[in-house]
Structure formats: structure tokens, C-alpha cells
Amino acid sequence: MRIVVSGAAGFIGSHFCDRLLAEGHTVVGLDNYLTGAASNLAHLADEPRFRFVRQDITEPFTVDGSVDAVVNMASPASPKDYLDHPIETLDVGSTGTRRMLDLAREKGARFLLTSTSECYGDPEVHPQPETYWGRVNPVGPRSCYDESKRFAEALTMACHREHGLATNIARIFNTYGPRMKLDDGRVVPAFLGQALDGAPLTVFGDGSQTRSFCYVSDLVDGLYRLMLSGERFPVNLGNPHEMTILEFAERIRRLTGSHSAIEFRPLPEDDPRQRCPDISKARALLGWEPRVQLEEGLRRTVEHFRRAAGIAIT
Ligand code: UDP
């Protein structure tokens, strides 16, 4: 297949491009580098089946030639990034998604949207199944991300219903791995960076809020299976192994052998109290579930951060 991927220079986007290329596909990657990085695609410089175009998908654009699939992954995704770029986040979820859907329609291609567990907001139902409609503050600081993704889902379903477009929607839960930015503010790079530096681990609130962490290769495998499926409604992709953020801080200390202290900081506004995917649907429909254990995934991520720090220093 010839596949167009927006957000190709992002953390998950670049891994997804790698997977598509490994499966023998040809990829056109789009990114405006708002939060992505050219270094995430540097290893593809000599890959003849990969072409990169620097493109803001909220602006008009065309892609030459035939296209079989359009994958819309472009968006700031860490709370720090979308709080720094709230308007761009709303624009890419709305106008950007519209332009990618139009491209799929023009080319007669299938379409995959990467959405988010943030659609569930601060949930009252736990773990969260796809049938739960969520509890989102529409005017809070996180609303720029939550509502842009909810809008993107609605637009995707409208194009499916109105035009018969073959669409898929993935709801991605917390994902980690190599190529995350050390300074993107998310808890995995934050704690790992702090532990490796011997700095205090900054736990927000009392650390009793929960998350579960999916290694990026597992996530990408779920996305790939979903893209090939006929499922039109959202599918959760994430790791159901849930823990509190305080427990997570302790695991990071153990894994890195760090003696860092734990420092408590104020809980950000609207930070979800609990989050854990119900992945029964992905299991049944895609035969998918995460395989990489947290310790193993974190070890591979630490390796990446050590190498990246080495390159930055020399
Ligand atoms: N968090 C924390 N310390 C940090 C960064 C994040 O305690 O230095 C917490 C944050 O408040 C949230 C959880 O870790 O409860 C996950 O945050 P992240 O930004 O990784 O993603 P989110 O799940 O909020 O989108």
C-alpha cells in the first residue's frame, strides 16, 4: 500500500512509519515539526520507500499519485505541549483532520484517526470501555486537546456515514518508549530523566492518581491491526496494567537504582484521577494485547535516553 501519515516525525508517528515500512509499504510522511523532530526520521534518510514532506496539515496541501491509506496522527499530545499550543491543537484536530479526511476521500483511500483516552476525561467508569461517553470539562485547560479529539472522532464518523469512507478510530492510552522527548513533561520521561540525574522525582498531587503504560511497539502493533480491520467505532489501545503514580515513581527508582527523593507538587487542574483501558474489544476484534512488560519497556527507554544524552553532550 501507499500510505500517507501525518505527524510522522512524532514519537508514535515515527514508530508507526517504521512498522509500515517493515511490512513492505510505501510511506509519505507529513509533519510541521511543531512538536515532532527531524531526528526521529533521520534513520530513514536513505529509505527509497519513504518520502518526507514538511507540511502543516491545517494549511491546504495535495499529495501526488495514488494513496491507499491515510493515517492522521498529527497533534501535540503531551499536556505540556498542548497547554503551550492550545489553538494549534484545536486547529489540527478540526481543520487538520478535515483536510486528511478530504485527502482520503479524493484518493479513495481508507482512513485511520489516532484519538485518545482523554476523550473519557476524568472518568466515573473504571476501567474505561469504548461505550463510556466520558466526563470532559469543555472549558478547562485540557479541553483544547480533549475536545479537538472528540471533534475529530465526530468528523470521522460523519465522513464514514455521509460518504461511506472506510474509517477506523484508535483511542490511545498512555504510551512510552524511545523517541519521547526528555522534556515533554510527561511522567515517563520526567521521572526517568530525574532519576538518571539524581534529581527529585516530581510527583503531582499525592500520587494516588492512576495510569497504565503501554510500550510503543505494542501500541503500534494494535494500530496496524486496527488499520486493516473493518471496525468503524473507536477501539481502546493501551496496557491495562494499572498503578498509582507514586507506585510508578518507586518502580522507576528501583529500576534505575536511583536514590532520588520524591517531591510532591500541586496536581494540575483536571488531571484525571484514574485511567485504565478496558481492552476486551481490541482482544476480541484484533487478537491484540500488549506483550512488553513494564520493566523491559522501561529498560529499553532508559537506553534510548542515555544514548540521546550522550549525543547531546558530544
Ligand atoms: N505527573 C507527575 N509528575 C510529573 C509529570 C506527570 O506526577 O512530573 C503525573 C500527572 O499529574 C498525571 C500522570 O503523571 O497524573 C500522567 O501524566 P502525563 O503528563 O504523562 O500524561 P496524562 O496521563 O496526564 O496525559
Side-chain angles (χ1 to χ4, degrees), residues 154-167:
L155 190 60
T156 301
M157 289 309 295
C159 285
H160 167 62
R161 293 191 175 105
E162 187 77 9
H163 304 305
L165 208 65
T167 54

Side-chain angles (χ1 to χ4, degrees), residues 96-111:
T97 300
R98 176 64 195 268
R99 294 197 193 284
M100 292 294 278
L101 281 159
D102 286 349
L103 176 70
R105 209 175 148 215
E106 174 204 327
K107 301 287 185 183
R110 57 188 317 145
F111 179 88

Side-chain angles (χ1 to χ4, degrees), residues 66-314:
S66 67
V67 175
D68 304 293
V70 170
V71 180
N72 188 29
M73 309 186 90
S75 178
S78 89
K80 176 172 169 283
D81 284 343
Y82 58 71
L83 295 176
D84 284 348
H85 303 286
I87 311 283
E88 290 92 335
T89 302
L90 283 155
D91 281 348
V92 77
S94 52
T95 308
T97 300
R98 176 64 195 268
R99 294 197 193 284
M100 292 294 278
L101 281 159
D102 286 349
L103 176 70
R105 209 175 148 215
E106 174 204 327
K107 301 287 185 183
R110 57 188 317 145
F111 179 88
L112 167 68
L113 171 71
T114 53
S115 182
T116 170
S117 56
E118 284 282 329
C119 287
Y120 302 121
D122 188 12
E124 306 114 319
V125 173
H126 194 72
Q128 294 81 56
E130 292 86 349
T131 46
Y132 175 51
W133 292 351
R135 179 168 167 266
V136 168
N137 175 354
V139 291
R142 296 172 89 105
S143 64
C144 59
Y145 185 60
D146 303 7
E147 298 293 14
S148 101
K149 290 291 191 180
R150 287 168 68 103
F151 178 88
E153 289 195 5
L155 190 60
T156 301
M157 289 309 295
C159 285
H160 167 62
R161 293 191 175 105
E162 187 77 9
H163 304 305
L165 208 65
T167 54
N168 312 107
I169 300 173
R171 286 195 183 138
I172 300 177
F173 284 66
N174 296 65
T175 299
Y176 71 100
R179 300 186 198 155
M180 287 187 105
K181 288 185 292 181
L182 249 181
D183 63 350
D184 83 355
R186 282 189 276 208
V187 72
V188 175
F191 283 1
L192 282 178
Q194 291 159 349
L196 295 176
D197 277 356
L201 303 196
T202 53
V203 169
F204 297 165
D206 62 5
S208 63
Q209 71 272 32
T210 68
R211 294 293 187 275
S212 58
F213 300 97
C214 187
Y215 189 66
V216 66
S217 61
D218 281 333
L219 190 271
V220 158
D221 185 49
L223 288 175
Y224 187 66
R225 289 171 191 238
L226 179 60
M227 186 187 80
L228 300 179
S229 82
E231 176 59 32
R232 305 293 164 231
F233 285 93
V235 178
N236 288 341
L237 295 175
N239 192 314
H241 179 55
E242 182 186 9
M243 69 202 76
T244 68
I245 290 301
L246 195 55
E247 279 164 6
F248 184 59
E250 264 140 28
R251 289 181 83 143
I252 295 272
R253 280 207 301 198
R254 269 204 309 279
L255 180 93
T256 54
S258 154
H259 300 294
S260 290
I262 288 185
E263 206 172 272
F264 292 93
R265 299 265 177 91
L267 189 68
E269 198 178 333
D270 292 340
D271 196 284
R273 296 289 316 150
Q274 51 181 1
R275 181 185 292 153
C276 179
D278 178 336
I279 59 165
S280 329
K281 185 171 176 183
R283 275 200 181 100
L285 197 81
L286 311 174
W288 175 85
E289 64 183 353
R291 300 193 181 285
V292 180
Q293 300 293 318
L294 186 64
E295 254 69 33
E296 175 56 24
L298 287 175
R299 218 167 277 130
R300 292 185 209 170
T301 309
V302 166
E303 263 316 294
H304 160 80
F305 285 144
R306 286 210 166 105
R307 269 202 313 275
I311 289 163
I313 290 160
T314 50

Side-chain angles (χ1 to χ4, degrees), residues 13-29:
S14 63
H15 284 282
F16 194 60
C17 289
D18 287 345
R19 173 65 187 264
L20 295 175
L21 292 164
E23 295 287 341
H25 303 298
T26 298
V27 177
V28 179

